[in-house]
Amino acid sequence: MAVDGWLAVAEAAAELGVSQSRVRQRLADGALTGRKVGAQIIVDQADVRRRAAHRPAAGRPLGPQLAWAALAALSADGSVDVAAHADRNLRHRLNALLRSSPAPDRWRMLLRARARPQRCWAHPAMIAELLGDERVSVGRTRAAGRSGLNISAGDDVVVYAAEHDVPALREHYALEDDPHGPVELRAVPAAAGHFAPHGGAAVPLAAAVFDMLDADDSRLRHAASEWLEQSAARLCELGRQNVQPGAAARAAAG
């Protein structure tokens, strides 16, 4: 049944370039607006077209260095001076990225290379020690909660570690590959540069938010999408501020 301003699920999926099940998931998350008319679910056409305009483009994710620089900016409430970065190419790319203010699904694709996830089994008695290990930082809900989001950590165990420390951590804590294990160990490439895991501290808030966006729990995905969308205008303004004449002059002098 056609309704002006609304699309069937199949039509919305075609416009977004995703499956119908993905559209239904986004409706359940609250990331798309929909309603039920009789036996049919319909999706707000303006909402779909807004998201389609920011659909992830084909291509590779950001390299680890730029990914962590972007995560730092996303986490900083406008306090990051992009022009202070020593690498001129990185400054230019980070400015462009912030000005474009990608949609959550595009950010998710762009930041995939921030770490390599490994799902592991660990003895319950070892988990508390792992969470405080000096070689790791905690992610997802534990980090988000420490940064002020109203999120309960529960049994969530996500830890980030430098890639070169991962073999020793796996041996020390007897971590074994298990797709259903309670621990998600994320190995940060040496090329990341802008982030070094340490002492059970929290990862930057944006990294925790993207961990939530990858979660199976729809409540966490919804909270993450909401935080990112609320940040969009601020991030775009941050990008504009960093290409004003004063910032551009500082960048050129660097």
Side-chain angles (χ1 to χ4, degrees), residues 68 129-139 143 146 158-165 169 185-186 188 193-204:
W68 283 102
E129 183 183 344
L130 172 64
L131 288 168
D133 193 290
E134 64 180 10
R135 295 165 291 184
V136 310
S137 287
V138 298
R146 292 186 197 179
V158 176
V159 293
Y160 283 76
E163 200 165 43
H164 62 79
D165 284 329
L169 286 166
L185 176 61
R186 289 180 167 260
V188 179
H194 291 269
F195 174 66
H198 62 285
V203 296

Side-chain angles (χ1 to χ4, degrees), residues 37-38 54 65 91 100 103 110 161 170 188:
V37 178
H54 295 283
Q65 184 184 31
R91 288 196 304 263
S100 70
L110 289 171
R170 290 179 65 103
V188 179

Side-chain angles (χ1 to χ4, degrees), residues 215-230:
D216 293 332
D217 189 326
S218 63
R219 295 176 303 108
L220 296 185
R221 294 197 303 270
H222 177 69
S225 293
E226 189 174 65
W227 184 88
L228 286 165
E229 295 206 355
Q230 289 173 353

